[in-house]
């Protein structure tokens, strides 16, 4: 196996989270990004490593949705993945305390990584998602909508108008106000205005779209999409509560039409709940699954300790911190 550094601008961007764009977004939260190419026999993989200072010259390393297989659908088993990370560790200047890695959805939860890695009880990125195959006719895609989606779309017909809007301060402000309203209603912590603004205005190797839904000429909802060459992700959404009308269904239906026209192959709705441990996500899960698609469950977030003493100290501090805030 051979591992070498590559420029962030050299990434193929098969996944919008493995991109110069995402590196730029995370840099605003003090993460430094480095990209690597892993060559294993005749197969190649790209991986992006985000590092953040911990103490002195020690750091933690986080890897989102990679390694990404290039030009094939091969996977790295746990021993090869561990070998790759140990080689990457030698190429990074700072001393890494541990790697935390979220594997792509191609790495099914049926794969066992427990021998070489520590499985996290809670994952950073969603363990379950639903993906819609857009490499089909639009008629076949919409024929797979469930009754819930079809019923709500029928209610919204000729009432809700959906469009892709320019990304400017006025529209960002409109969307963010609805987003904060949604967060209060649904009981989640919203991202900061600055973070959302960075997501929408950063111009790199990923396409960003803001879609709006109008009711009586008023914006009542909107979603943020990020797209690579073939994969689009529904990153954030917001909507106002209107009796007997759910604008969110119209926005997603419009997004599917829009992405299909762009020749995007896969639409990832970015996370659904699990019946056993995510009951608070039940309504969101019902909404996302109503558009058909395939439910995927990946390997949970993995840790690979490099400095085992500091790793244990970090995990203890994390446990104390979580107990305080809960």
């Amino acid at each position: 196996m051979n591992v070498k550094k590559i420029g962030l601008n050299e990434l193929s961007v098969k996944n919008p989270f493995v991109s110069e764009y995402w590196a730029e977004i995370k840099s605003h939260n003090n993460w430094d990004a480095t990209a690597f190419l892993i060559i294993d026999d005749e197969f190649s993989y790209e991986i992006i490593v985000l590092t953040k200072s911990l103490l002195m010259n020690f750091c933690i390393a986080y890897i989102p949705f990679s390694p990404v297989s290039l030009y094939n659908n091969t996977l790295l088993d746990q021993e090869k993945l561990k070998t790759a990370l140990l080689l990457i560790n030698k190429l990074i200047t700072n001393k890494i305390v541990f790697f935390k890695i979220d594997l792509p959805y191609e790495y099914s939860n049926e794969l066992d990584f427990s021998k070489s890695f520590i499985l996290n009880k809670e994952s950073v990125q969603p363990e379950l998602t639903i993906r819609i195959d857009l490499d089909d006719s639009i008629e076949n895609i919409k024929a797979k909508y469930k009754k819930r989606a079809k019923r709500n779309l029928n209610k919204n017909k000729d009432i809700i108008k959906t469009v892709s809007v320019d990304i400017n301060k006025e529209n960002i402000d409109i969307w963010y106000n609805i987003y904060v309203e949604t967060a209060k209603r649904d009981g989640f912590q919203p991202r900061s205005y600055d973070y959302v603004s960075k997501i929408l205005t950063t111009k790199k190797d990923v396409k960003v779209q803001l879609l709006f839904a109008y009711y009586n000429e008023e914006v009542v909802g909107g979603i943020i999409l990020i797209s690579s060459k073939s994969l689009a992700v529904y990153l954030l959404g917001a909507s106002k509560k209107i009796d007997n009308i759910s604008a969110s269904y119209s926005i997603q239906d419009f997004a599917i039409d829009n992405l299909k026209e762009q020749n995007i192959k896969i639409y990832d709705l970015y996370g659904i709940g699990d019946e056993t441990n995510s009951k608070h996500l039940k309504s969101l899960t019902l909404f996302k699954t109503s558009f058909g698609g395939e439910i995927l469950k990946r390997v949970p977030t993995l840790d690979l300790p490099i400095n085992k003493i500091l790793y244990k100290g970090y995990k203890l501090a994390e446990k104390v911190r979580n107990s305080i805030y809960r």
Side-chain angles (χ1 to χ4, degrees):
M1 179 181 288
N2 181 38
V3 175
K4 66 177 183 178
K5 285 185 182 181
I6 59 174
L8 291 168
N9 61 351
E10 296 180 70
L11 288 165
S12 64
V13 197
K14 293 184 71 176
N15 187 315
F17 292 106
V18 188
S19 64
E20 188 176 13
Y21 165 82
W22 198 246
E24 177 69 19
I25 297 298
K26 302 312 289 184
S27 71
H28 297 289
N29 290 331
N30 301 314
W31 290 96
D32 293 320
T34 311
F36 297 90
L37 179 67
I38 301 169
I39 302 172
D40 179 51
D41 296 326
E42 71 271 31
F43 302 119
S44 298
Y45 307 82
E46 288 177 344
I47 192 166
I48 188 169
V49 180
L50 304 172
T51 56
K52 179 180 283 189
S53 178
L54 192 59
L55 73 162
M56 296 185 289
N57 65 335
F58 288 98
C59 68
I60 58 176
Y62 174 60
I63 300 169
F65 293 124
S66 47
V68 173
S69 177
L70 300 181
Y71 314 116
N72 52 60
N73 296 314
T74 58
L75 306 176
L76 290 174
D77 62 31
Q78 61 178 317
E79 288 304 319
K80 287 185 176 181
L81 180 60
K82 180 179 179 180
T83 297
L85 295 183
L86 293 176
L87 290 171
I88 287 171
N89 181 53
K90 293 179 180 179
L91 296 173
I92 291 181
T93 304
N94 288 348
K95 295 180 180 178
I96 293 177
V97 175
F98 67 98
F99 286 94
K100 185 178 289 290
I101 179 169
D102 276 309
L103 292 167
Y105 285 101
E106 288 74 15
Y107 287 78
S108 163
N109 69 313
E110 296 178 359
L111 297 172
D112 183 12
F113 281 76
S114 60
K115 181 180 177 182
S116 301
F117 295 84
I118 297 172
L119 276 65
N120 286 221
K121 291 182 179 179
E122 294 183 4
S123 289
V124 178
Q125 302 291 347
E127 286 182 34
L128 284 90
T129 196
I130 186 158
R131 284 184 167 181
I132 299 172
D133 180 9
L134 299 180
D135 197 20
D136 197 353
S137 69
I138 196 67
E139 292 79 16
N140 287 342
I141 293 168
K142 296 194 176 188
K144 295 175 184 176
Y145 285 8
K146 295 182 179 178
K147 289 181 180 179
R148 174 182 291 267
K150 291 178 179 178
R151 182 175 64 251
N152 279 283
L153 288 171
N154 189 54
K155 284 182 182 179
N156 296 347
K157 189 177 181 182
D158 301 325
I159 296 175
I160 299 294
K161 178 184 177 183
T162 49
V163 294
S164 179
V165 299
D166 293 336
I167 296 175
N168 53 40
K169 188 177 187 308
E170 180 183 1
N171 285 333
I172 293 173
D173 289 348
I174 290 170
W175 184 87
Y176 192 78
N177 287 334
I178 299 174
Y179 174 58
V180 171
E181 180 182 326
T182 304
K184 289 179 180 177
R185 183 185 70 230
D186 294 346
F188 65 85
Q189 184 66 35
R191 295 284 193 171
S192 70
Y193 178 88
D194 183 61
Y195 184 76
V196 170
S197 182
K198 293 288 192 309
I199 285 175
L200 286 166
T201 59
T202 297
K203 298 184 183 300
K204 292 290 182 180
D205 48 358
V206 165
K207 182 175 182 178
V208 183
Q209 289 180 269
L210 181 59
L211 309 183
F212 274 0
Y214 289 85
Y215 174 64
N216 290 338
E217 299 185 356
E218 177 189 0
V219 180
V220 293
I223 65 174
I224 297 173
L225 303 177
I226 59 174
S227 306
S228 63
K229 297 170 185 176
S230 61
L231 172 66
V233 177
Y234 164 39
L235 193 61
L236 292 169
S239 64
K240 291 188 174 186
K241 187 173 179 60
I242 307 171
D243 290 341
N244 299 318
I245 293 175
S246 180
S248 298
Y249 287 90
S250 294
I251 301 174
Q252 288 296 346
D253 183 60
F254 175 73
I256 288 168
D257 285 328
N258 185 275
L259 295 171
K260 177 67 178 173
E261 289 175 3
Q262 296 175 52
N263 292 318
I264 298 292
K265 303 301 181 185
I266 299 172
Y267 183 28
D268 188 340
L269 297 186
Y270 195 47
I272 57 173
D274 187 298
E275 290 183 0
T276 59
N277 57 17
S278 299
K279 292 182 179 179
H280 62 290
L281 296 175
K282 184 176 180 181
S283 61
L284 182 67
T285 300
L286 286 171
F287 166 68
K288 291 184 177 181
T289 54
S290 70
F291 292 93
E294 179 185 7
I295 295 175
L296 301 175
K297 186 170 184 178
R298 64 176 183 81
V299 173
T301 300
L302 305 172
D303 286 355
L304 178 65
I306 302 299
N307 186 316
K308 294 183 179 180
I309 294 175
L310 288 180
Y311 174 74
K312 287 181 180 179
Y314 179 89
K315 296 300 286 186
L316 178 60
E318 185 180 57
K319 185 176 181 180
V320 171
R321 184 173 64 249
N322 289 340
S323 66
I324 291 173
Y325 286 102
R326 287 179 182 175

